[in-house]
């Protein structure tokens, strides 16, 4: 008799990911808002920026435009977060199933590849258009519909895929690093599944995975944001954007927004992985998801 674990229903992680994605996006949006603003700022000699960090940024917007302004740009991201997380977790599960060896095991490299494939897929299907609209909404202080109208008038339908290559590199590396870390963490902590996981274990695993992936791929995130901003035409392509940032602003500029991004990603990934594992366990008790 085969001792290999039964293959999981691919719809289960997709459904759990959709729910968890909506929860995570809403919970940590202010940090994403400040991170995007910091990455859009270009250093100009003699110009003093109104804020230069997470706390000062939060304080500035609450003081000048009110607390609710911190949620500007959430609508397109929330609309995209639900299917995005579903695609990410669903396809990651599919890729993992196909990469397992004859004993049903996965190496860290294979976990990275599964996350990479899921990240690139979600980038091209959902993230690129949603992130472009989100960035425009934040930079131009526009609502969701206004951002869409601006892109349509200024750049046409193709404008929503502005920065798609940079987004694919960012999401691919992000999810590759994140799933590699998280799966290795769970393997070690649960002793290859011999000990039952708990929401706290998932929360800590998600938070540490978020920290690891953020520090590992922040330059891709900065380039992605610049390529989706209103000044993207000054760059010939994604590589030129990277080169210009390095030559004109230095390597430090590639880590702009790291602190607020950590402030968003670390708790956010803790929330989404803990939510995902808990929701998955609940869904697996329903016949249609078994």
């Amino acid at each position: 008799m085969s001792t290999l674990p039964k293959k999981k229903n691919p719809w289960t992680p997709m459904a759990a990911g959709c729910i968890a994605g909506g929860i995570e996006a809403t919970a940590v949006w202010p940090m994403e808002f400040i991170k995007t603003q910091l990455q859009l700022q270009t250093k100009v000699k003699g110009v003093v920026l109104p804020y230069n960090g997470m706390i000062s940024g939060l304080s500035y917007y609450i003081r000048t435009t009110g607390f609710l302004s911190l949620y500007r740009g959430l609508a397109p991201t929330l609309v995209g977060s639900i299917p995005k997380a579903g695609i990410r977790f669903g396809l990651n599960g599919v890729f993992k199933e196909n990469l397992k060896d004859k004993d049903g095991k996965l190496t860290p490299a294979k976990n990275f590849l599964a996350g990479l494939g899921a990240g690139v897929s979600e980038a091209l299907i959902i993230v690129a258009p949603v992130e472009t609209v989100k960035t425009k909404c934040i930079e131009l202080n526009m609502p969701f519909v206004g951002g869409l109208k601006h892109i349509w008038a200024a750049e046409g339908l193709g404008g929503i895929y502005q920065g798609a290559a940079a987004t694919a590199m960012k999401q691919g590396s992000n999810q590759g690093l994140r799933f590699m870390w998280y799966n290795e963490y769970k393997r070690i902590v649960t002793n290859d599944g011999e000990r039952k996981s708990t929401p706290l274990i998932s929360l800590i695993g998600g938070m540490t995975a978020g920290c690891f992936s953020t520090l590992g791929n922040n330059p891709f995130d900065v380039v992605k944001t610049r390529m989706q901003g209103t000044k993207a035409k000054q760059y010939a392509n994604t590589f030129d954007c990277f080169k210009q940032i390095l030559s004109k602003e230095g390597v430090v500029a590639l880590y702009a927004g790291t602190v607020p991004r950590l402030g968003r990603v670390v708790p956010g990934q803790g929330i989404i992985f803990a939510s995902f594992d808990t929701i998955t366990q609940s869904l697996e008790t329903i016949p249609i998801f078994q």
Side-chain angles (χ1 to χ4, degrees), residues 90-160:
L91 287 182
N92 180 69
V94 171
F95 290 138
K96 283 170 64 177
E97 285 293 335
N98 284 280
L99 288 170
K100 285 179 180 178
D101 62 20
K102 58 184 177 63
D103 297 316
K105 303 292 184 181
L106 286 164
T107 63
K110 287 183 176 180
N111 272 317
F112 176 81
L113 286 175
L116 177 70
V120 171
S121 298
E122 70 169 316
L124 297 178
I125 298 170
I126 297 291
V127 181
V130 169
E131 287 281 306
T132 298
V133 178
K134 178 212 76 174
T135 301
K136 292 289 199 307
C137 287
I138 290 176
E139 189 174 9
L140 299 174
N141 191 18
M142 289 182 173
F144 179 42
V145 175
L148 278 173
K149 287 181 178 178
H150 173 83
I151 294 172
W152 181 267
E155 303 163 64
L157 184 61
I160 66 169

Side-chain angles (χ1 to χ4, degrees), residues 42-63:
T42 54
K43 295 180 180 178
V44 180
K45 191 175 182 180
V47 176
V48 180
L49 300 175
Y51 55 90
N52 57 12
M54 178 178 66
I55 301 301
S56 60
L58 288 170
S59 175
Y60 173 79
Y61 282 101
I62 292 172
R63 186 177 66 253

Side-chain angles (χ1 to χ4, degrees), residues 183-197:
N183 284 298
E184 280 301 294
Y185 162 86
K186 287 285 290 290
R187 183 186 64 79
I188 294 169
V189 171
T190 65
N191 194 27
D192 279 328
E194 289 184 8
R195 289 192 294 269
K196 187 177 179 180
S197 182

Side-chain angles (χ1 to χ4, degrees), residues 3-66:
T3 58
L4 290 178
K6 178 184 176 182
K7 284 191 175 184
K8 294 185 177 181
N9 184 337
W11 294 106
T12 304
M14 184 170 288
C18 285
I19 301 168
I23 294 171
E24 182 264 344
T26 303
V28 297
W29 181 253
M31 298 300 101
E32 175 69 14
F33 175 84
I34 297 299
K35 180 220 74 171
T36 302
Q37 291 285 20
L38 286 169
Q39 291 180 341
L40 287 169
Q41 293 175 350
T42 54
K43 295 180 180 178
V44 180
K45 191 175 182 180
V47 176
V48 180
L49 300 175
Y51 55 90
N52 57 12
M54 178 178 66
I55 301 301
S56 60
L58 288 170
S59 175
Y60 173 79
Y61 282 101
I62 292 172
R63 186 177 66 253
T64 59
T65 54

Side-chain angles (χ1 to χ4, degrees), residues 84 88 115-116 118-120 122-123 127 166-176 217 221:
K84 176 181 76 172
R88 178 195 312 159
L116 177 70
V120 171
E122 70 169 316
V127 181
T167 303
M169 287 192 295
K170 180 249 181 176
Q171 288 299 116
S173 60
N174 208 21
Q175 302 309 333
N217 89 326
D221 194 47

Side-chain angles (χ1 to χ4, degrees), residues 279-290:
I279 294 166
T280 297
Q281 290 173 13
S282 298
L283 290 177
E284 287 176 340
T285 64
I286 303 172
I288 194 173
F289 289 109
Q290 291 175 353

